[in-house]
């Protein structure tokens, strides 16, 4: 049985949104009979992550949280993956990091250590929210413009599409959302530059033809 490891810290505004938007991915993965390793809230720490990567050997790893060029954080900004320390634990996995800038250094370095494929962003991942939906982030139409294309990556991989195909689907979704804002003369047109920004800076490393086996 294929397995999915996902980190879902929850401690401030950004992680609040990523936590709840990840639920659709988890529900879909369960429907496809994936074993789910859900490191949520306080479980999203370095000790647990390292233990799960070593003992469970997941096929797909999804990171949600803050990041920098060479690291990803978990709960309360604890560094859980860092270049030169533990990126080798990602060996044999396909990774998607919804974290800022990890495509600059962590992505390529993880490939050198045996990661099959790494999907991430070379610059910040930007998204906008509507304060009226803070208590129900899944219903936020402004956040949906950004987080639905992001989810497309994980969902595509879970459907058996390749890394390259998953990235292209996400880029097309970012582009299409920007186009719709223009076509409908939406009051949210001001977010368009960030949709295009995310589309441009999404990158993949390693084997672009890799797929997740059941």
């Amino acid at each position: 049985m294929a397995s999915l490891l996902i980190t879902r810290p929850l401690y401030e505004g950004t992680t609040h949104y990523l936590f709840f938007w990840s639920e659709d991915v988890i529900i879909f993965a369960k429907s496809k009979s994936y074993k789910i390793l859900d490191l949520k809230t306080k479980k999203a720490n370095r000790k647990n992550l390292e233990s799960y990567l070593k003992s469970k050997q997941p096929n797909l790893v999804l990171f949600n949280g803050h990041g920098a060029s060479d690291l990803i954080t978990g709960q309360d900004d604890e560094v859980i993956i860092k270049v030169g320390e533990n990126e080798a634990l990602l060996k044999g996995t396909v990774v998607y990091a919804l974290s800022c800038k990890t495509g600059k250094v962590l992505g390529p370095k993880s490939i050198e250590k045996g990661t099959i494929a790494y999907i991430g962003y070379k610059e910040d991942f930007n998204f906008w929210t509507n304060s009226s939906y803070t208590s129900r982030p899944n219903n936020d139409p402004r956040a949906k413009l950004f987080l639905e294309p992001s989810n497309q990556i994980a969902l595509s991989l879970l459907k058996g599409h390749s890394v390259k195909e998953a990235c292209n689907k996400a880029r097309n979704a970012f582009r299409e959302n920007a186009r719709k804002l223009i076509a409908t003369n939406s009051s949210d047109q001001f977010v368009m530059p960030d949709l295009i920004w995310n589309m441009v800076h999404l990158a993949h490393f390693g084997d672009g033809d890799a797929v997740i086996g059941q």
Side-chain angles (χ1 to χ4, degrees):
M1 179 187 294
S3 58
L4 160 66
L5 188 156
I6 183 168
T7 67
R8 296 197 296 153
L10 176 60
Y11 60 97
E12 42 71 79
T14 297
T15 55
H16 175 73
Y17 266 76
L18 301 190
F19 180 94
F20 287 103
W21 271 87
S22 295
E23 290 178 342
D24 286 346
V25 173
I26 293 172
I27 291 169
F28 183 76
K30 287 180 179 177
S31 77
K32 301 291 283 187
S33 299
Y34 277 78
K35 181 178 181 180
I36 311 299
L37 308 170
D38 187 9
L39 297 183
K40 61 182 179 180
T41 59
K42 292 182 179 180
K43 291 182 179 179
N45 60 57
R46 182 166 181 155
K47 180 180 178 181
N48 285 338
L49 177 67
E50 292 184 342
S51 174
Y52 275 54
L53 288 173
K54 291 175 183 176
S55 64
K56 307 295 185 181
Q57 300 180 328
N59 303 86
L60 177 61
V61 179
L62 303 177
F63 289 107
N64 293 281
H66 293 290
S69 62
D70 64 341
L71 62 84
I72 298 173
T73 65
Q75 185 70 18
D76 300 325
D77 282 332
E78 179 188 0
V79 175
I80 57 174
I81 285 283
K82 187 172 183 180
V83 170
E85 295 183 4
N86 62 355
E87 79 276 21
L89 293 176
L90 297 172
K91 180 179 180 179
T93 68
V94 172
V95 177
Y96 171 44
L98 184 49
S99 304
C100 293
K101 298 181 179 177
T102 67
K104 276 189 172 180
V105 179
L106 178 57
K109 288 294 184 181
S110 70
I111 299 301
E112 291 178 11
K113 294 295 179 67
T115 300
I116 296 172
Y118 187 103
I119 302 170
Y121 297 85
K122 291 185 175 180
E123 297 294 340
D124 288 344
F125 176 85
N126 297 329
F127 74 97
W128 290 81
T129 64
N130 184 324
S131 59
S132 299
Y133 291 87
T134 302
S135 63
R136 43 198 178 103
N138 297 70
N139 296 324
D140 188 333
R142 190 174 292 161
K144 181 180 181 179
L145 294 168
F146 297 88
L147 298 179
E148 197 168 69
S150 169
N151 274 0
Q152 187 64 240
I153 294 172
L155 293 173
S156 294
L157 291 171
L158 291 167
K159 290 174 183 177
H161 297 298
S162 71
V163 167
K164 187 186 304 181
E165 289 170 335
C167 287
N168 285 337
K169 286 179 181 292
R171 292 190 189 99
N172 289 339
F174 282 125
R175 185 186 297 111
E176 179 62 15
N177 284 349
R179 188 196 67 78
K180 286 180 180 178
L181 289 176
I182 297 174
T184 60
N185 196 27
S186 169
S187 59
D188 280 340
Q189 284 190 36
F190 68 91
V191 310
M192 281 177 48
D194 286 315
L195 287 169
I196 302 303
W197 173 272
N198 293 340
M199 180 189 76
V200 169
H201 292 106
L202 175 63
H204 64 83
F205 308 88
D207 185 1
D209 294 322
V211 296
I212 306 298
Q214 286 287 337

